[in-house]
């Protein structure tokens, strides 16, 4: 080990706040004078000043002797603690001249200091002994520690556990630093100590020493006390798990020795021990027995822990298990699914994301039953999670019903009861898909929807219900029943806008009436009475008529289409007349509607006109009836098929690729020696199966992905070559720089970095000295506060430490451009949520399309790939069209939503160029501007790689 020099940075392991030195520090003479005072408070203040001055670079050589003379034998505990800080920061060696190769010598005063330290180690107060032992763990000088070893060994036999546990820690520190030179018998001492020790903390510290310095003895002790490991405390158990991972990764043949203790720790009362044991078991083995035990432990942690952060960590582990052990995880599916009772919606969403792909024919009834009970609980208005949780459950039930028809019927009858409350839109969309996929359920579902029309109070839900009835009520009885129910709820025309006059309100108010009356004695008197007008009978309107009368023009158009379909199917004259009267009422209402909806009124008028022509003109009916009655169902059916194919394709893309080497060794367990104990499982069994299928070889992929974010910062001809690798971890950026000294002389290097944008440099690179033609790695941390593009730039300052008179050299680093693509990820959302966010977000950026790409679909794919977004709009690539509109969506690591609408048209001239606009909307200005700049630079398709790098701006300028 290299000897220490006279610099307090080599001794000190603490810092003090600067406000302690406000007002200035006293000089060396004043400190020495105050140390001679009899008052302990004055001594403490003087010693604090000395420590602060020495941390600031002052030597204060005279203070050391004053401390030895007047403070070393004090009984004041606060002063003793300050003296330990002083012993840590004070220079302990004699100064040596620059360039001298002599070994530095210990100061003569340190002999007196060692004697004082030994007195504290033999002090009758156990807390003084323990504090001194903890202080010795910070000392790095063998000449000071050597004389104290005998006293430290004696502390191992002290009656108080506080002394014994710190003595074990002190021996571990000394043996780790100096090995057999200072304590040749340390492993034997610790082995005897741990066998006789009864205190949990002392045993843990002793095992820590064996774990790091005498691994064989640690394993031997563990094998002899396997049954008692759970009695040794949480800290000891965590050390055992760390030892297990260390030994088994180095020598996989040792796995069978730790199986028993691992399974014992899975049932520990400590959550940290059981979690670490499960993670260790899965990391060392892929056997079904091990995975099943770990999954059971994770599920019990989900139900027993109240901390949401703990639950999210456990769920992440379950996600990793599901990727490779989905079948084993199906056995504990119901235990995992019970975690949706958590009040946190993020945890509920995570649980559903994990469990829904695991549902199969054997457990679907239990899963759906649990989900139905949770949906019924959401009827309670006091529930914290509210409508968002109900939407999650409905979506999960929808996925189960789509895959397993046997449960669809019972699910629909339960969910339709929510069609008049919150979450009704999600319910009716689910019902629409079920009606299309399962024709056998249509009669019951349609009958229930007819009876629920009076309960629906939302326009968007009513529109979907009207469409379902119009498309799937095909037989005469169902058609007549649905038509009668709609007409009954509509009422008779006209459907005019309600006018609330103030006079009507005043007429309902009570009035004062004064009149003259004749009393019994024949005299006259004035009588004042309160006159209340008789209340007219309140004729309540149905919800459907209220929506129409209030001016919902879009709903009127859908009702007109539905009534027309009924009339075309039945061909009854009475039904046709009633449908025409209702449509005339709709047209009249649209005309008197306010000017704010003139465009909607025009569309409604055109649709109603077409419906009337189909009912009145036989030729028009013959031409359009087939398309009017059948095309809607066919289009919706193809949409569902496309959505299922898209979901299946995305699940295949998420699956990890299987890559393995053809010459990897595979063990056949039937031919292996039965060396394990009876009842033990082979932890290496599952890993061989994974290697046979090529799973678990992702190291090369991680290395290649890291090369994509490597940037060259200096030139090859510079005296110091530097390149940096950027790792983006959500809110933080880790900048790892490799510096290579290309000169034949040693170089002292200092890297100064700065940032532009909403970024803050948290950890700066340290200064280093690099040998001739040597290299080193420096790291820096940058905090990000928003999703905006930024720049990192800086300078390398280098000088020759062997020639201080030589001028310093400066190398300007190339800028690193952090792109917005590092912070946004593809995401999905429903069309209703997209439209809601589009109307809510106020920041918009409009980008004109200028590209050399001539195909509409190629341009859309190019924009999706370059912006790292997902396309929400299903695209039929088989059709030939000159216009394309699509919605794109992504989310940033800061939970910011990015919405993009692409509207592109192919011109009909000879050039055939694309034109149109791309509109970006977001809640914040930064993401809208940054994403707009990104689209502007990448919309021109460039084939050569070098030109594309310049266009994207993601590389070094």
């Amino acid at each position: 080990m290299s000897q220490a020099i006279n610099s307090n940075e080599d001794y000190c392991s603490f810092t003090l706040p600067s406000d302690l030195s406000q007002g200035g520090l006293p000089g060396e003479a004043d400190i020495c004078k105050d140390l001679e005072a009899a008052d302990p408070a004055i001594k403490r203040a003087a010693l604090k000043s000395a420590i602060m001055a020495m941390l600031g670079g002052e030597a204060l050589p005279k203070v050391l002797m004053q401390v030895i003379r007047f403070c070393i034998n004090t009984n004041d505990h606060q002063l003793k603690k300050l003296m330990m800080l002083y012993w840590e920061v004070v220079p302990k060696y004699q100064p040596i001249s620059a360039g001298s190769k002599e070994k530095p010598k210990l100061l003569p005063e340190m002999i007196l200091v060692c004697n004082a330290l030994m007195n504290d180690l033999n002090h009758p107060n156990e807390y003084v002994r323990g504090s001194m032992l903890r202080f010795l763990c910070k000392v790095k000088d063998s000449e000071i520690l050597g004389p104290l070893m005998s006293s430290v060994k004696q502390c191992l036999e002290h009656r108080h556990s506080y002394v014994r546990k710190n003595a074990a820690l002190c021996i571990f520190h000394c043996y780790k630093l100096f090995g057999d030179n200072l304590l040749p018998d340390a492993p034997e001492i610790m082995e005897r100590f741990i066998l006789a020790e009864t205190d949990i903390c002392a045993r843990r510290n002793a095992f820590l020493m064996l774990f790091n310095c005498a691994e064989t003895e640690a394993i031997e002790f563990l094998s002899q006390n396997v049954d008692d490991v759970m009695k040794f405390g949480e800290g000891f158990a965590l050390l055992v798990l760390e030892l297990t991972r260390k030994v088994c990764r180095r020598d996989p043949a040792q796995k069978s020795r730790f199986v028993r203790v691992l399974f014992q720790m899975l049932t520990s009362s400590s959550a940290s021990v059981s979690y670490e044991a499960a993670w260790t078991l899965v990391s060392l083995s892929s056997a079904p027995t091990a995975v099943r035990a770990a999954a059971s432990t994770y599920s019990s942690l989900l139900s027993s822990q109240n901390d949401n952060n703990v639950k999210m960590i456990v769920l992440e582990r379950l996600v990793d298990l599901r990727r490779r052990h989905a079948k084993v995880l199906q056995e504990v599916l119901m235990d995992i699914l019970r975690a949706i009772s958590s009040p946190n919606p993020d945890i509920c969403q995570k649980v559903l994301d994990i469990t829904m792909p695991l549902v199969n024919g054997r457990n679907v009834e239990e899963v759906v039953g649990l989900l139905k009970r949770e949906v019924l609980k959401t009827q309670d208005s006091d529930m914290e999670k509210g409508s968002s949780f109900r939407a999650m459950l409905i979506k999960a039930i929808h996925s189960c019903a789509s895959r397993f028809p046997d449960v669809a019927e019972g699910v629909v009858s339960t969910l339709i009861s929510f069609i008049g409350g919150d979450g009704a839109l999600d319910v009716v969309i689910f019902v629409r898909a079920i009606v299309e996929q399962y024709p056998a359920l249509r009669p019951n579902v349609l009958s229930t929807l007819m009876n629920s029309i009076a309960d629906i109070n939302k326009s968007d839900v009513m529109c979907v219900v009207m469409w379902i009835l119009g498309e799937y009520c095909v037989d005469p009885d169902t058609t007549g029943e649905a038509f009668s129910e709609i007409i009954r709820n509509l009422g008779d025309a006209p459907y005019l806008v309600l006018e609330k006059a103030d006079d009507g309100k005043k007429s309902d108010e009570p009035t004062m009436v004064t009149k003259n009356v004749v009393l019994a004695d024949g005299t006259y008197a004035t009588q004042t009475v309160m006159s209340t007008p008789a209340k007219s009978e309140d004729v309540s309107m149905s919800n459907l008529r209220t929506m129409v009368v209030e001016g919902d023009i879009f709903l009127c158009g859908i009702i007109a289409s539905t009534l027309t379909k009924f009339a075309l199917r039945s061909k009854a004259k009475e039904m046709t007349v009633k449908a025409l009267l209702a449509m005339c009422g709709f047209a009249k209402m649209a005309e008197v509607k306010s000017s704010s909806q003139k465009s909607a009124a025009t569309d409604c008028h055109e649709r109603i006109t077409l419906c009337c022509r189909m009912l009145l003109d036989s030729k028009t009916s013959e031409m359009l009836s087939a398309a009017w009655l059948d095309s809607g169902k066919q289009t919706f059916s193809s949409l569902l098929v496309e959505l299922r194919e898209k979901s299946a394709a995305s699940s295949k893309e998420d699956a990890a690729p299987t890559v393995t080497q053809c010459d990897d060794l595979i063990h056949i367990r039937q031919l292996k020696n039965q060396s394990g104990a009876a009842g033990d499982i082979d932890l290496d069994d599952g890993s061989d199966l994974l290697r046979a299928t090529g799973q678990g070889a992702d190291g090369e992929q991680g290395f290649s992905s890291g090369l994509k974010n490597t940037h060259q910062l200096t030139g090859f001809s510079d005296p110091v070559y530097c390149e940096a690798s950027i790792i983006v971890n959500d809110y933080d950026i880790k900048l790892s720089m490799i510096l290579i000294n290309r000169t034949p002389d040693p170089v002292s290097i200092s890297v100064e970095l700065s940032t532009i944008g909403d970024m803050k440099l948290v950890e700066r690179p340290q200064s280093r000295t690099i040998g001739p033609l040597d290299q080193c790695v420096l790291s820096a941390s940058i905090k990000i506060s928003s999703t905006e593009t930024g720049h990192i730039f800086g300078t390398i300052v280098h000088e020759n430490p062997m020639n201080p008179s030589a001028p310093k050299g400066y190398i300007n680093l190339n800028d690193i451009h952090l792109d917005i693509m590092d912070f946004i990820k593809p995401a999905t959302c429903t069309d209703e949520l997209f439209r809601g966010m589009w109307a809510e977000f106020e920041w918009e950026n409009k980008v004109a399309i200028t590209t050399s790409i001539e195909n509409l679909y190629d341009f859309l794919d190019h924009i999706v790939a370059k912006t790292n977004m997902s396309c929400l709009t299903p695209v039929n690539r088989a059709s030939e069209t000159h216009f394309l509109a699509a919605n794109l969506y992504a989310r940033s690591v800061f939970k910011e939503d990015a919405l993009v609408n692409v509207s592109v048209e192919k011109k009909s001239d000879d050039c055939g160029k694309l034109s149109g606009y791309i509109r970006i909307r977001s809640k914040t200005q930064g993401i809208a501007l940054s994403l707009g700049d990104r689209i502007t630079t990448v919309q021109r398709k460039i084939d050569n790689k070098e030109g594309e790098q310049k266009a994207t701006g993601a590389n070094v300028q």
Side-chain angles (χ1 to χ4, degrees), residues 601-655:
T602 303
D603 294 339
C604 179
H605 189 272
E606 292 179 357
R607 178 179 288 267
I608 291 175
T609 302
L610 180 59
C611 292
C612 294
R613 289 186 59 188
M614 292 179 64
L615 295 178
L616 297 175
D617 188 359
S618 58
K619 293 183 178 179
T620 305
S621 177
E622 292 176 1
M623 294 173 57
L624 301 179
S625 59
W628 193 267
L629 297 176
D630 300 330
S631 61
K633 286 185 292 187
Q634 296 173 358
T635 305
F636 181 62
S637 178
S638 61
L639 174 64
L640 293 179
V641 172
E642 188 172 352
L643 290 177
R644 286 195 294 268
E645 293 176 351
K646 185 178 179 181
S647 177
S650 62
S651 61
K652 290 181 181 179
E653 292 176 359
D654 294 339

Side-chain angles (χ1 to χ4, degrees), residues 431-602:
V431 172
R432 182 181 63 181
I434 293 298
V435 169
E436 170 60 31
Q437 292 176 349
Y438 306 115
L441 301 179
R442 289 177 186 175
N444 294 333
V445 174
L446 293 176
S447 177
T448 307
L449 287 178
M450 295 176 201
N451 298 328
S452 303
I453 291 178
D455 300 329
I456 301 173
N457 53 15
K458 293 185 178 180
S459 175
D460 51 358
V461 178
M462 186 68 76
C463 291
V464 180
V465 171
M466 290 294 124
W467 185 88
I468 294 174
L469 295 176
E471 291 292 336
Y472 297 101
C473 292
V474 292
D475 58 277
D477 295 337
T478 309
T479 300
E481 184 180 355
F483 185 88
S484 301
E485 187 67 25
I486 294 174
I487 292 297
R488 186 181 65 82
N489 282 273
L490 270 178
D492 297 331
Y495 312 107
L496 298 179
V497 180
L498 291 175
E499 296 181 359
K500 298 181 180 180
D502 295 337
D503 297 339
K505 291 183 179 180
K506 294 180 181 179
S507 62
D508 294 338
E509 297 177 356
T511 58
M512 303 290 293
V513 177
T514 303
K515 60 182 179 179
N516 296 326
V517 295
V518 180
L519 300 179
D521 58 356
T523 60
Y524 292 92
T526 302
Q527 183 181 15
T528 303
V529 295
M530 186 75 67
S531 176
T532 303
K535 293 184 178 180
S536 60
E537 295 184 0
D538 186 13
V539 180
S540 60
M541 292 189 300
S542 65
N543 292 331
L544 180 58
R545 183 177 178 87
T546 302
M547 297 176 194
V548 174
V549 171
E550 289 179 349
D552 195 333
I553 299 176
F554 183 71
L555 177 61
C556 293
I558 294 179
I559 296 175
S561 301
T562 303
L563 296 178
T564 303
K565 293 174 184 177
F566 291 154
L568 290 175
R569 290 193 181 103
S570 66
K571 297 182 179 180
K573 185 174 296 185
E574 181 182 1
M575 189 177 293
T576 302
V577 172
K578 290 183 179 180
L580 290 173
L581 289 176
M583 286 186 279
C584 292
F586 296 156
K588 183 63 177 177
M589 185 274 298
E591 290 180 0
V592 301
K593 188 60 182 170
S594 60
S595 59
S596 60
Q597 294 191 16
K598 279 190 174 180
S599 59
T602 303

Side-chain angles (χ1 to χ4, degrees), residues 36 476 487 535 698 704 782 897:
E36 298 177 6
I487 292 297
K535 293 184 178 180
D698 54 351
S704 60
I782 300 173
D897 299 294

Side-chain angles (χ1 to χ4, degrees), residues 120-169:
D120 284 346
L121 286 176
N122 298 324
H123 200 279
N125 189 320
E126 59 270 14
Y127 294 104
V128 174
R129 284 196 182 197
S131 299
M132 181 51 60
L133 289 168
R134 292 180 66 86
F135 163 72
L136 292 180
C137 293
K138 303 178 182 179
V139 178
K140 302 178 182 179
D141 305 283
S142 60
E143 298 181 15
I144 296 177
L145 292 173
L148 305 176
M149 285 297 101
S150 59
S151 299
V152 173
K153 293 178 183 178
Q154 292 177 4
C155 291
L156 289 173
E157 302 175 358
H158 195 272
R159 59 180 177 79
H160 204 283
S161 61
Y162 180 73
V163 178
R164 297 197 303 271
K165 71 178 183 181
N166 286 298
L169 205 59

Side-chain angles (χ1 to χ4, degrees), residues 7 179 208 271 427 583 716:
S7 172
L208 177 64
V427 172
M583 286 186 279
F716 292 108

